[in-house]
Structure formats: C-alpha cells, structure tokens
Amino acid sequence: MAPNKKASVEKTQTTKPAKPKSVKNKPEKIKATTSKRQPVKPQAAQQTTARDYVRFPLARRIEHLIMLVSFTTLGLTGLPQKFPTSDISIFIARLFGSVEILRAVHHAAATVMMFGAGYHILLAGYQLFVERSRLSMLPGFQDAKDALQALMYNLGIKKSRPQMGRYTFEEKVEYWAFVWGAVIMGLTGFMLWNPITTSRILPAEFIPAAKAAHGAEAVLAVLAIVLWHFYGVHLKSFNKSMWTGKLSEQDMLHEHPLELADIKAGLAQRPLDPALKRKRERIYFPIAGVLAAAMLFGIYGFVRGEETSIKTIPPLVGDESVYVPQTPTPLPTSTPIAASSNDPANLTWDGAIAPVIQEKCSMCHGQAAIGGLDMSTYENLLKGGGNGPAFIAGDSANSKLVQLMEKDIHPGKVTPEELARIVDWIDQGAQEK
Amino acid sequence: MNKKIPIRVRLILLTIPLVLGLGLLTAALAGLSGSASAAPASQTPMSNDTCLTCHSQPNTSKQLGGETLLLTVEKEMFDLSVHGNQGVACVQCHTDIASFPHPDYSVGSKREMQLALYGATRQACIDCHQEQSANALNGVHQQALEAGNTNAAICADCHDPHYQAPLEEQPRSASLETCARCHSTIYETYTQSIHGAALIDENNPDVPTCVDCHGAHGIQNPRAAEFRNTTPQLCATCHTDAAIMDKYGLSTAVLSTYVADFHGTTVTLFEAIHPDQPTDKPVCTDCHGVHGIRSVDDPQYGIGMKENLQAVCERCHPGASADFPNAWMGHYIPSPDRYPVVYFVDLFYKILIPLVLGGMAGFVISDFTRRLIERRKGGMH
C-alpha cells in the first residue's frame, strides 16, 4: 500500500488501483460498502484504535485565521459606515480615531481578504489539477436530500439524521455563501473604492447600486456567520478542528461518518505517483505563477489605481474680501450745511465773519449763551460774556476770541483759514457792515 | 463734690460740641452734595435736557482728522426710539460724561471716536442687555476687534443707540440692510439667491436672513471648520420641516439621503468625533453655494442640470466623466422610475435577507430543540 495511507485497518477487498483518470467536475464514485449509505454500526468502529484524524492541515488553518480576522475587521469597520448616526457607530469610529482611519483599516482588511481569496484559488487549483482530489465541497442533489432529512429528523418526522461525508450540507452552505459573498463584496467594493473608473465602464447609477448591495450583503454575511456558523461550530458542539486541525474518532463518527468509513476502507486518499505529481506540478506551478502575478497586479490596481478625489477642497468663499463697506457709509453723519458762499474779501461781520461764527460757535454761544457769551449778533459779540468782550477792534493779538481759538482747548474750533480771516477782520477794525 | 458749675461755664461747654457737631454735619453735607454732582446716576440722573441744550442744535459736529462726526441728537426721534420710550437718560449710557467740557478721548478719526465711545459705554449695554452682550463678546466681530481690526462691528454699528426703533416694528429685511453696510458684496450675492429674492420681493417669512443662519450676536466664524461641519444640521432646520417645505414642493428627505450616502456618512461621523477639525468631504454649501443659492432648476446655475453638477463634482474629482454626477441620486429615494437599478438591488436584498436568515434560523432552532430533547431522553442519535 502507499505510504501515505491514513487508516490502520486494511480491508481485504481492495478496489480498483489508482489510475490517472481525469477528474473533471464530477466526484469519483465510491465503490465501497458505504456507497449504499448504510448506517455504520458503532461496534465496528470500536474494533479500531480510537484516534484522531487530520481534518485541516496547518496551511488551511492559517488561511481560516486570516479570513476570520479580516472578516471581523471588515464587519466592525463597515458597521459605522452603514449606520453612521447610531451611537455604537460613533463609538467604534472614535475607537479607531476618526472615520478616515476607520475607512483605511476597512480597505486594508479588504486587501488582506483579497490575498486570502487569491491564495485559496491557487490552492484549489493545485488540488484540482495536481492532486486531483475529490471535489468534496461541491454541492449536489444529495446535499439537498441530506438537508431535508436533517430537518425532518429535527421535527421528529424521520428517525435518524443523515450520514454525511467530509463536508456536511451545513458546511457547504457556509462555504458557498462565503464565496458568493466574497465575489459580491469584492466587485461592489471595487466600484465603491474606484468610482471614477467604474463610471467609465458602467452607467454611474451602478455606483449607488453597488453601495446598496455592499451594505446589504455585509448585513447578510455577518448575520449568517453569527446565526449559522457560530451555531454549527461553537454552540451545537464546540468544534476545535479549525484550531487543532484534528477530529477525534467520536467526532468523525458523529459528524462525518461516511468520510470515516472511506478512510477506514482505504479509499479516502488516493496515492499519487511522485513522478506524476512532479509532472503535473511542472505544468501547474508556472500557470499558478502567472495567475498569482495577475492577481497581485489586479489587487494593486484595485487599491492604488484611482485617485478618486483631491484632498483639500478649495474654499468657496475664498480671498474675496468680507469687509466691503457700502460707500458713502450710511452711518449717522451728515455734512453740515455748506457755508454760504461769501466773498472772503468782504471782511465785515455781515459778509465773511458772521457765517463762520454762526456755523462754528452758535451751538453753544447762540441761544445757550454758555458762559454768558452770545455770539449771534454783532452787538452781543461786542458785549462779550463773563470774561469780558470777545475782541478788541484793531488788536487781534489781545482779543480773547483769537487767543482762545489759537489755544485749541476750546470745544468749538475754527479752521486755520477761518481764524486768519477773523484775525484780519479784527485787525482791520472789526467792521459790522 | 458739692460744687456747682456756674451756668456760664455750662453754656460754653455745651456750645463746643454743638459747634463741632454742626461743623461736621455741614462738612458731611457738603461732601455729599459734591459727590452728587459728580455722579448723578446714583441719585437722579442729569436730565436729558441739559445735554440737549447743545446736542439738539442742528449741525452740531466735530472735526476728526478730516472727517465730520455729527453730534446732533434729534429729541423727537430719540423719544420714539426703544431707549427713549423707556426713558433712558443720556448719562445712563454715557456714564463718563457729567459736565462740560466732556472727557477728551484724544482720537484722530471718526472710527476711533466710535471705538472710544464703545469702550466708555459698553458696560451700559452689558448691564441691560446681558444675554446679547455675552454672546457678542464671544462672537467673531469681537474676536476681530481684539485682533486689531477696527472695522469690526460694535454694538452701535448695528443698533443706532439713539434712534433704534423697536425690533417688532421692523421688517425681516432690516437685518439684511444692517449687515450690508459692511458686507455689501455678500448682500449683493444674497439678493440674487432664491432665499434673498423671496425675502426682498415678497417678504417671505420662510427664508433665512443673515441672522437666521449666522446668529445676531454670538456669530461663529463662518470660515472655521466647526461652522462648516454643522452646516447640514443648520440647513436641515428648515429643509426637513414639512410645514415649510410642503409649501414649495421641496423634499424633506434631503438630510437623510445625504447622510445615507458617502459624503454625508463621512461628515456625520467626522463631526461627531472631531467637530472642530476640517474635513474634505462636501457639505450642503459646497454643492449648492453659500450665499448665492439658486433653485436646482435654475437654468443657469441650478445643479439639477447635469452640466452644472459635473462642474461642481469636478472641483474635487478632476477627470470625472459627464456621466459621473449620476452616481449621486440627487437626494431622491430610489424608485422604479428613478434610479431603478438601486431600487431593485434594495428590493432583492429585502427579500433575500429575510429568506436566508429566516431559513437558517428555522433550521437552527429545530436542530437545537431536537438536540435538547435528545439530551433529555439521554439517547444517542
């Protein structure tokens, strides 16, 4: 027998020797006693040494861990993006620092998952082409029958659970749902990550459609994992095979009795001629290499291909000045009544002087006659006020009016030209008319 | 001692304290009267007529560095104003002016004079208008003033302290004209907008004025990230209110559809965590315009037009194709007529998810129940 056999029991009734048959997509027929799906009696199993069976080699377990971590990360970082207004979302986003970091982590986890998917494809290709293993994960009519039987057994209609092989219908549902989901999420994820590129290939309406599909599929995937997967491997019975890689004889009997029988019958692992294996590898590895390169290139394009937007938005209200006052400013000012045009040469009270005095002084020294000084008329000005006469005709230097105006302490002021005029008027005798 | 003090001595002794007492009393009274004249507000404020002796004279003015500051206060108008109505005395605000000559503010320009008066009378505003003053002191105008911008608005720039009519008597557009005094270009832009045109043409009560969006006193810096990040909530105040929107046939789903899409999701999450940090995702005003908002159907500017919308998109997405704007569903909720692909994807999942999860749940429950029963029975399966 070939050295890589697993079962310790050798049945005398051997089957056909291994032959390089092209597998195509059909599972090989199993020509053992178990093909009629007879229930395996527990006593038969007890004759063998109870041992563990390898279910998942290390590579598979690492693959599962990678998918587990990336899936959980994607779900966690995706949730706030689908439900941004809920408190849980804000809490998660805050945990990651900001929504931008959250999104970057989501993208990173998606990339990891893409690598995982790529590795899975290459590995499946190896098993398909090189090892020509049974396509034990493919669903078939038998799985539907198993599912129905299981349901009917649960409902108490049938008397026994179905006996299933390496992958039960539950596991096949799990696997193919994951494949379906990964394809959808990858495609729609691409459309969301690279909307400009997408809008060149498809009508742009497909982008919000992709968002709808992406979010809905995510909800479905997460809830399906929680409902179906967690129940199947955690709650129903705690299945450690994805961590330890092994299942006990007991577990094999309960979960995968047909596979157990095959193993014991020596049918499970067909020995592969090393020369043949190498020949196939020589064909497959280059193909796989090309495929891997293509996938890496694809992932790179996915992630880095498009610069969707510029990073800083130019401000809308830019350098445009905010302070642009209306002119003339409507703030309460009004130009005083223009000084009546008078001949400055007419240096008399009635001519050039009275208008100036009235304009500049009458607010206080008119009716108000502050300090007893009324400057509204020539006579009153001559009379003066509490400080005596306001001016001395002919002597401007000693006129109180001039002295006060020159000092610039008085609230009422005249312009230098006006003061000069007054000085001239006084020096020329301060004539009234 | 049995010695009697003679009456003469007694009289003299009595008069000393009397004289002393009277002297003290006189001094005290003199002191009081002296202080009373210095601070009339503490007792009876100086009558307005005293001030109006000079200040009612028409064309009373003061030259300040080439500009003319009008000092006349028209009594009739003041009496009709809010302050005049309440009988506010001149010196209640101008607390530093008690007599003539007035304190010299030593200013060289009209604006400096106004700022000096603001400094002298500010406490008076605060004393009566506490809430508004507190808000204004936190506002952007005060910040600009403190940074050295003397053009920044002070109380008197917006509210004429002498002639301010009661606010209830003023139309809503009055606040526009106030802001326009300094922000005239923004005012011009606003009058062209759909909001401004409605306000000015019809005095429409539903459209926002400057104050409705920016506030009156505690004005936030509108260029700061904090204001920008809260813009969706600001616009939503009216644009999700069916009582207003139904009058104009406008959708109230604008905020929910914005938040459901990529831009709004990001801004919502961003604002919740970093309200004062800038984000590069657009808010309402980035697409619709700030002051010059038009109807989306406006032939020239409306972003209901695909070309106009593409120009908007290209601001951040250079190289976007003409079809790219169709990725935004325009605040519409997908239906078989509008964005049917999205609608049918939604519908598909609305059916698929309950079907799948329901089926799974059903099976899981049946499986779990069966195992419980078997365990109770103690048998093997």
Side-chain angles (χ1 to χ4, degrees), chain A residues 143-204:
Chain A
D143 298 293
K145 292 209 286 202
D146 288 340
L148 196 59
Q149 183 178 349
L151 182 65
M152 299 226 268
Y153 166 75
N154 289 341
L155 295 173
I157 298 167
K158 279 251 169 87
K159 287 221 180 59
S160 64
R161 291 196 101 245
Q163 295 211 323
M164 296 177 279
R166 180 166 173 81
Y167 293 116
T168 64
F169 73 91
E170 292 115 321
E171 287 157 337
K172 288 187 185 180
V173 163
E174 180 66 46
Y175 177 84
W176 289 106
F178 195 94
V179 170
W180 153 269
V183 168
I184 298 261
M185 296 308 265
L187 276 175
T188 56
F190 175 85
M191 291 162 76
L192 292 174
W193 197 328
N194 303 290
I196 298 195
T197 310
T198 306
S199 66
R200 290 195 219 279
I201 307 168
L202 289 169

Coordinates of all heavy atoms in Angstrom, one line a residue, chain A residues 143-204:
Chain A
D143 N -26.9 16.6 -1.2 CA -26.9 17.6 0.0 C -28.3 18.1 0.2 O -28.7 18.3 1.4 CB -26.0 18.7 -0.3 CG -24.5 18.3 -0.5 OD1 -24.0 17.8 0.5 OD2 -24.0 18.3 -1.6
A144 N -29.1 18.3 -0.8 CA -30.4 18.8 -0.6 C -31.2 17.7 0.1 O -32.0 18.0 1.1 CB -31.1 19.1 -1.9
K145 N -31.0 16.5 -0.3 CA -31.7 15.4 0.4 C -31.3 15.3 1.9 O -32.1 15.1 2.8 CB -31.4 14.1 -0.3 CG -32.1 14.0 -1.7 CD -32.4 12.6 -2.1 CE -31.2 11.8 -2.5 NZ -31.4 10.7 -3.4
D146 N -30.0 15.5 2.1 CA -29.5 15.5 3.5 C -30.1 16.6 4.3 O -30.5 16.3 5.4 CB -28.0 15.7 3.5 CG -27.2 14.5 3.0 OD1 -27.8 13.4 3.0 OD2 -26.0 14.6 2.6
A147 N -30.2 17.7 3.7 CA -30.8 18.9 4.4 C -32.2 18.6 4.8 O -32.7 18.8 5.9 CB -30.7 20.1 3.6
L148 N -33.0 18.0 3.8 CA -34.4 17.7 4.1 C -34.5 16.7 5.2 O -35.3 16.8 6.1 CB -35.0 17.2 2.8 CG -36.5 17.3 2.8 CD1 -37.1 18.7 3.0 CD2 -37.1 16.7 1.5
Q149 N -33.6 15.7 5.1 CA -33.7 14.6 6.1 C -33.4 15.1 7.4 O -34.0 14.8 8.4 CB -32.7 13.5 5.7 CG -32.8 12.3 6.7 CD -31.9 11.2 6.3 OE1 -31.3 11.1 5.2 NE2 -31.7 10.2 7.2
A150 N -32.4 16.0 7.5 CA -32.0 16.6 8.8 C -33.2 17.4 9.4 O -33.4 17.3 10.6 CB -30.8 17.5 8.6
L151 N -33.8 18.2 8.5 CA -34.9 19.0 9.0 C -36.0 18.1 9.5 O -36.6 18.3 10.6 CB -35.4 19.9 7.9 CG -36.6 20.8 8.3 CD1 -36.1 21.8 9.4 CD2 -37.1 21.5 7.1
M152 N -36.3 17.0 8.8 CA -37.4 16.1 9.2 C -37.1 15.4 10.4 O -37.9 15.1 11.3 CB -37.7 15.2 8.0 CG -38.1 16.0 6.8 SD -39.6 15.3 6.0 CE -38.8 14.3 4.8
Y153 N -35.8 15.0 10.6 CA -35.4 14.4 11.8 C -35.6 15.4 13.0 O -36.0 15.0 14.0 CB -33.9 13.9 11.7 CG -33.3 13.6 13.0 CD1 -33.7 12.4 13.7 CD2 -32.5 14.5 13.7 CE1 -33.1 12.1 14.9 CE2 -32.0 14.2 15.0 CZ -32.3 13.0 15.6 OH -31.8 12.7 16.8
N154 N -35.2 16.6 12.8 CA -35.3 17.6 13.9 C -36.8 17.8 14.3 O -37.1 18.0 15.4 CB -34.8 19.0 13.4 CG -33.3 19.0 13.3 OD1 -32.6 18.1 13.9 ND2 -32.7 19.9 12.6
L155 N -37.6 17.7 13.2 CA -39.0 17.8 13.5 C -39.7 16.6 14.1 O -40.9 16.5 14.4 CB -39.8 18.3 12.3 CG -39.4 19.7 11.7 CD1 -40.0 19.9 10.4 CD2 -39.8 20.8 12.7
G156 N -38.9 15.6 14.1 CA -39.4 14.3 14.7 C -40.1 13.4 13.7 O -40.7 12.4 14.1
I157 N -40.0 13.8 12.4 CA -40.7 13.0 11.4 C -39.8 11.8 11.0 O -40.3 10.7 10.8 CB -41.0 13.9 10.2 CG1 -41.9 15.0 10.6 CG2 -41.6 13.1 9.1 CD1 -42.0 16.1 9.6
K158 N -38.5 12.1 10.8 CA -37.6 10.9 10.4 C -37.0 10.4 11.7 O -36.8 11.2 12.7 CB -36.6 11.4 9.4 CG -37.1 11.5 8.0 CD -36.4 10.4 7.2 CE -37.1 10.3 5.8 NZ -36.5 11.2 4.9
K159 N -36.5 9.2 11.6 CA -35.9 8.6 12.8 C -34.4 8.8 13.0 O -33.9 8.6 14.1 CB -36.2 7.1 12.8 CG -37.7 6.8 13.1 CD -37.8 5.6 14.1 CE -39.3 5.3 14.3 NZ -40.1 5.0 13.1
S160 N -33.8 9.2 11.9 CA -32.3 9.4 12.1 C -31.8 10.5 11.3 O -32.4 10.9 10.3 CB -31.6 8.1 11.7 OG -31.8 7.8 10.3
R161 N -30.7 11.1 11.7 CA -30.0 12.1 11.0 C -29.4 11.6 9.7 O -29.0 10.4 9.7 CB -28.9 12.8 11.8 CG -29.4 13.6 13.0 CD -28.4 14.6 13.5 NE -28.6 15.9 13.0 CZ -27.7 16.6 12.2 NH1 -26.6 16.0 11.9 NH2 -28.0 17.8 11.9
P162 N -29.2 12.4 8.7 CA -28.5 11.9 7.5 C -27.0 11.6 7.9 O -26.4 12.3 8.7 CB -28.6 13.0 6.5 CG -28.8 14.2 7.3 CD -29.5 13.8 8.6
Q163 N -26.4 10.7 7.1 CA -25.0 10.5 7.3 C -24.3 11.2 6.2 O -24.6 11.0 5.0 CB -24.7 8.9 7.3 CG -25.4 8.2 8.5 CD -24.5 7.0 8.9 OE1 -24.0 6.3 8.0 NE2 -24.5 6.8 10.2
M164 N -23.3 11.9 6.6 CA -22.7 12.8 5.6 C -21.2 12.6 5.5 O -20.6 12.0 6.4 CB -23.0 14.2 5.8 CG -24.5 14.5 5.7 SD -25.1 16.1 6.1 CE -25.1 16.1 7.8
G165 N -20.6 13.0 4.5 CA -19.1 12.8 4.2 C -18.3 13.9 4.8 O -18.6 14.5 5.8
R166 N -17.2 14.2 4.0 CA -16.2 15.2 4.5 C -16.8 16.5 4.9 O -16.5 17.2 5.9 CB -15.1 15.3 3.5 CG -14.0 16.3 4.0 CD -12.8 16.2 3.1 NE -11.9 17.2 3.5 CZ -11.0 17.2 4.5 NH1 -11.0 16.1 5.3 NH2 -10.2 18.2 4.8
Y167 N -17.7 17.0 4.0 CA -18.3 18.3 4.3 C -19.8 18.1 4.3 O -20.5 17.7 3.3 CB -17.9 19.3 3.2 CG -16.5 19.7 3.2 CD1 -15.6 19.4 2.2 CD2 -15.9 20.3 4.4 CE1 -14.3 19.7 2.3 CE2 -14.6 20.6 4.4 CZ -13.8 20.3 3.4 OH -12.4 20.6 3.5
T168 N -20.4 18.5 5.4 CA -21.9 18.3 5.5 C -22.6 19.4 4.8 O -21.9 20.4 4.4 CB -22.3 18.4 7.0 OG1 -22.0 19.7 7.5 CG2 -21.5 17.4 7.8
F169 N -23.9 19.3 4.6 CA -24.6 20.3 3.8 C -24.5 21.7 4.5 O -24.4 22.7 3.9 CB -26.0 19.9 3.6 CG -26.9 20.0 4.8 CD1 -27.6 21.2 5.1 CD2 -27.0 18.9 5.7 CE1 -28.4 21.2 6.3 CE2 -27.8 18.9 6.8 CZ -28.5 20.1 7.1
E170 N -24.4 21.6 5.9 CA -24.3 22.9 6.6 C -23.0 23.6 6.2 O -22.9 24.8 6.0 CB -24.3 22.7 8.1 CG -25.6 22.2 8.7 CD -25.5 20.8 9.3 OE1 -24.8 20.0 8.7 OE2 -26.1 20.6 10.3
E171 N -21.9 22.8 6.1 CA -20.6 23.4 5.8 C -20.5 23.8 4.4 O -19.9 24.8 4.1 CB -19.5 22.4 6.1 CG -19.3 22.2 7.6 CD -18.6 20.8 7.9 OE1 -18.7 19.9 7.1 OE2 -18.0 20.8 9.0
K172 N -21.2 23.1 3.5 CA -21.3 23.5 2.1 C -22.0 24.8 1.9 O -21.6 25.7 1.2 CB -21.9 22.4 1.2 CG -21.0 21.2 1.1 CD -21.5 20.2 0.1 CE -20.7 19.0 0.1 NZ -21.1 17.9 -0.9
V173 N -23.1 24.9 2.7 CA -23.9 26.2 2.6 C -22.9 27.3 3.1 O -22.9 28.4 2.5 CB -25.1 26.1 3.6 CG1 -25.6 27.5 3.9 CG2 -26.2 25.3 2.9
E174 N -22.2 27.1 4.2 CA -21.3 28.1 4.7 C -20.3 28.5 3.7 O -20.1 29.7 3.4 CB -20.6 27.4 5.9 CG -19.6 28.3 6.6 CD -20.3 29.5 7.3 OE1 -21.3 29.3 8.0 OE2 -19.8 30.6 7.1
Y175 N -19.6 27.5 3.1 CA -18.5 27.8 2.2 C -19.0 28.5 0.9 O -18.5 29.6 0.6 CB -17.9 26.4 1.7 CG -16.8 26.6 0.7 CD1 -15.5 26.9 1.1 CD2 -17.1 26.5 -0.6 CE1 -14.5 27.1 0.2 CE2 -16.0 26.6 -1.6 CZ -14.8 26.9 -1.2 OH -13.8 27.0 -2.1
W176 N -20.1 28.0 0.3 CA -20.6 28.7 -0.9 C -21.2 30.0 -0.7 O -21.1 30.9 -1.5 CB -21.5 27.7 -1.7 CG -20.7 26.6 -2.2 CD1 -20.7 25.3 -1.8 CD2 -19.7 26.7 -3.3 NE1 -19.8 24.6 -2.5 CE2 -19.2 25.4 -3.4 CE3 -19.3 27.7 -4.2 CZ2 -18.2 25.1 -4.4 CZ3 -18.3 27.4 -5.1 CH2 -17.8 26.1 -5.2
A177 N -21.8 30.2 0.5 CA -22.3 31.5 0.9 C -21.1 32.5 1.0 O -21.2 33.7 0.6 CB -23.1 31.5 2.2
F178 N -20.0 32.0 1.5 CA -18.8 32.8 1.7 C -18.3 33.2 0.3 O -17.9 34.4 0.0 CB -17.8 32.1 2.5 CG -16.7 33.0 3.0 CD1 -16.7 33.6 4.2 CD2 -15.6 33.3 2.2 CE1 -15.7 34.5 4.7 CE2 -14.6 34.2 2.6 CZ -14.6 34.8 3.9
V179 N -18.2 32.2 -0.6 CA -17.7 32.5 -2.0 C -18.6 33.5 -2.6 O -18.1 34.5 -3.2 CB -17.7 31.2 -2.8 CG1 -17.4 31.5 -4.2 CG2 -16.6 30.3 -2.2
W180 N -19.9 33.3 -2.6 CA -20.9 34.3 -3.2 C -20.7 35.6 -2.6 O -20.5 36.6 -3.3 CB -22.3 33.7 -2.9 CG -23.4 34.8 -2.8 CD1 -23.8 35.4 -1.7 CD2 -24.2 35.3 -3.9 NE1 -24.8 36.3 -2.0 CE2 -25.1 36.3 -3.3 CE3 -24.2 35.1 -5.2 CZ2 -26.0 37.0 -4.1 CZ3 -25.1 35.8 -6.0 CH2 -26.0 36.7 -5.4
G181 N -20.6 35.7 -1.2 CA -20.4 37.0 -0.6 C -19.1 37.6 -0.9 O -19.1 38.9 -1.2
A182 N -18.1 36.9 -1.0 CA -16.8 37.5 -1.3 C -16.7 38.1 -2.7 O -16.2 39.1 -2.9 CB -15.7 36.4 -1.1
V183 N -17.4 37.3 -3.6 CA -17.4 37.9 -5.0 C -18.2 39.2 -5.1 O -17.8 40.2 -5.6 CB -18.0 36.8 -5.9 CG1 -18.4 37.4 -7.3 CG2 -17.1 35.6 -6.1
I184 N -19.4 39.1 -4.4 CA -20.2 40.3 -4.4 C -19.5 41.5 -3.8 O -19.4 42.6 -4.3 CB -21.5 40.1 -3.7 CG1 -22.3 39.0 -4.4 CG2 -22.3 41.4 -3.5 CD1 -23.4 39.5 -5.3
M185 N -18.9 41.2 -2.6 CA -18.3 42.3 -1.8 C -17.1 42.8 -2.6 O -16.8 44.0 -2.6 CB -17.9 41.8 -0.4 CG -19.0 41.4 0.4 SD -20.3 42.7 0.5 CE -19.8 43.5 2.0
G186 N -16.3 41.9 -3.2 CA -15.2 42.3 -4.0 C -15.6 43.2 -5.2 O -15.0 44.3 -5.4
L187 N -16.6 42.8 -5.9 CA -17.0 43.6 -7.1 C -17.6 44.9 -6.6 O -17.2 46.0 -7.2 CB -18.1 42.8 -7.8 CG -17.6 41.8 -8.8 CD1 -18.7 41.0 -9.4 CD2 -16.8 42.4 -9.9
T188 N -18.5 44.9 -5.7 CA -19.1 46.1 -5.3 C -18.1 47.0 -4.5 O -18.1 48.2 -4.6 CB -20.3 45.9 -4.4 OG1 -19.9 45.1 -3.3 CG2 -21.4 45.2 -5.1
G189 N -17.2 46.4 -3.8 CA -16.2 47.1 -3.1 C -15.3 47.8 -4.1 O -14.9 49.0 -3.9
F190 N -14.9 47.2 -5.2 CA -14.1 47.8 -6.2 C -14.9 49.1 -6.7 O -14.3 50.1 -6.9 CB -13.9 46.9 -7.4 CG -13.2 47.5 -8.5 CD1 -11.8 47.6 -8.5 CD2 -13.9 48.0 -9.6 CE1 -11.1 48.2 -9.6 CE2 -13.2 48.7 -10.6 CZ -11.9 48.8 -10.6
M191 N -16.2 48.9 -7.0 CA -16.9 50.0 -7.5 C -17.0 51.2 -6.6 O -17.0 52.4 -7.0 CB -18.3 49.5 -7.9 CG -18.3 48.6 -9.1 SD -19.8 47.6 -9.2 CE -20.9 48.8 -9.9
L192 N -17.0 50.9 -5.3 CA -17.1 52.0 -4.3 C -15.7 52.6 -4.1 O -15.6 53.8 -3.9 CB -17.6 51.4 -3.0 CG -19.0 51.0 -3.0 CD1 -19.4 50.4 -1.6 CD2 -20.0 52.2 -3.2
W193 N -14.7 51.8 -4.2 CA -13.3 52.3 -4.0 C -12.8 53.1 -5.2 O -12.1 54.0 -5.1 CB -12.4 51.1 -3.7 CG -11.1 51.4 -3.1 CD1 -10.3 52.5 -3.2 CD2 -10.3 50.5 -2.3 NE1 -9.2 52.3 -2.5 CE2 -9.1 51.1 -1.9 CE3 -10.6 49.2 -1.8 CZ2 -8.2 50.5 -1.1 CZ3 -9.6 48.6 -1.0 CH2 -8.4 49.2 -0.7
N194 N -13.3 52.7 -6.4 CA -12.8 53.3 -7.6 C -14.0 53.8 -8.4 O -14.3 53.3 -9.5 CB -12.0 52.3 -8.4 CG -10.8 51.8 -7.6 OD1 -9.9 52.5 -7.4 ND2 -10.9 50.5 -7.2
P195 N -14.8 54.8 -7.9 CA -16.0 55.2 -8.6 C -15.7 55.9 -10.0 O -16.6 55.7 -10.9 CB -16.7 56.2 -7.6 CG -15.6 56.6 -6.7 CD -14.6 55.5 -6.6
I196 N -14.7 56.6 -10.1 CA -14.4 57.3 -11.3 C -14.2 56.2 -12.4 O -14.7 56.3 -13.5 CB -13.3 58.3 -11.2 CG1 -13.6 59.3 -10.2 CG2 -12.9 58.9 -12.5 CD1 -12.8 60.5 -10.2
T197 N -13.3 55.2 -12.1 CA -13.0 54.2 -13.1 C -14.3 53.4 -13.4 O -14.6 53.1 -14.6 CB -12.0 53.2 -12.5 OG1 -10.9 53.9 -12.0 CG2 -11.6 52.2 -13.5
T198 N -15.1 53.2 -12.4 CA -16.4 52.4 -12.6 C -17.3 53.2 -13.5 O -17.9 52.6 -14.4 CB -17.1 52.2 -11.3 OG1 -16.2 51.5 -10.4 CG2 -18.3 51.3 -11.5
S199 N -17.4 54.5 -13.3 CA -18.3 55.3 -14.2 C -17.9 55.4 -15.6 O -18.6 55.8 -16.5 CB -18.5 56.7 -13.6 OG -17.3 57.4 -13.7
R200 N -16.6 55.0 -15.9 CA -16.2 54.9 -17.3 C -16.6 53.6 -17.9 O -16.7 53.5 -19.2 CB -14.7 55.0 -17.4 CG -14.1 56.4 -17.0 CD -12.7 56.5 -17.5 NE -11.9 57.3 -16.5 CZ -11.9 58.6 -16.5 NH1 -12.6 59.3 -17.3 NH2 -11.1 59.2 -15.6
I201 N -16.9 52.6 -17.1 CA -17.2 51.3 -17.7 C -18.7 51.0 -17.6 O -19.3 50.5 -18.6 CB -16.5 50.2 -16.9 CG1 -15.0 50.4 -16.8 CG2 -16.7 48.8 -17.5 CD1 -14.3 49.5 -15.8
L202 N -19.3 51.4 -16.5 CA -20.7 51.2 -16.3 C -21.4 52.5 -16.2 O -20.8 53.5 -15.8 CB -21.0 50.4 -15.1 CG -20.5 48.9 -15.1 CD1 -20.6 48.4 -13.6 CD2 -21.5 48.1 -15.9
P203 N -22.8 52.5 -16.4 CA -23.5 53.8 -16.0 C -23.3 54.1 -14.6 O -23.3 53.2 -13.7 CB -25.0 53.4 -16.3 CG -24.9 52.2 -17.2 CD -23.6 51.5 -16.9
A204 N -23.2 55.4 -14.3 CA -22.8 55.8 -12.9 C -23.8 55.4 -11.9 O -23.5 55.3 -10.7 CB -22.5 57.3 -12.9

